[in-house]
Amino acid sequence: MLAIAVAGELDSLSLLQRQMVSLRFYVDLPVSTIAELLEIPEGTVKSRLHSTVAALRRRLQEKEVI
């Protein structure tokens, strides 16, 4: 159930957010590699991952999935 809820919430993200989350948590790439692939600074990847994961967590908590 959690995996289905997370997949549904991923659809609501921007393309860049989906790419970063997928590369980090599904492909398990380090932040430095993600930054290189997406051609953005590492700090940007870190901050956007942090805010995106926090937003996903809030949405899942609101829906009482977690």
Side-chain angles (χ1 to χ4, degrees):
M1 170 124 167
L2 178 60
I4 294 169
V6 170
E9 291 300 324
L10 288 176
D11 288 339
S12 69
L13 300 176
S14 71
L15 175 60
L16 182 59
Q17 288 172 316
R18 276 194 312 274
Q19 288 173 326
M20 287 189 294
V21 168
S22 296
L23 291 171
R24 179 68 189 110
F25 298 107
Y26 291 100
V27 183
D28 198 29
L29 293 178
V31 170
S32 59
T33 304
I34 296 168
E36 286 178 34
L37 288 171
L38 299 178
E39 299 179 345
I40 56 177
E42 278 187 52
T44 301
V45 173
K46 288 179 185 179
S47 66
R48 289 185 183 174
L49 276 172
H50 178 78
S51 61
T52 300
V53 169
L56 286 172
R57 185 177 295 116
R58 277 192 306 275
R59 289 180 199 160
L60 293 170
Q61 287 172 338
E62 289 170 1
K63 293 180 178 184
E64 298 181 356
V65 175
I66 58 171

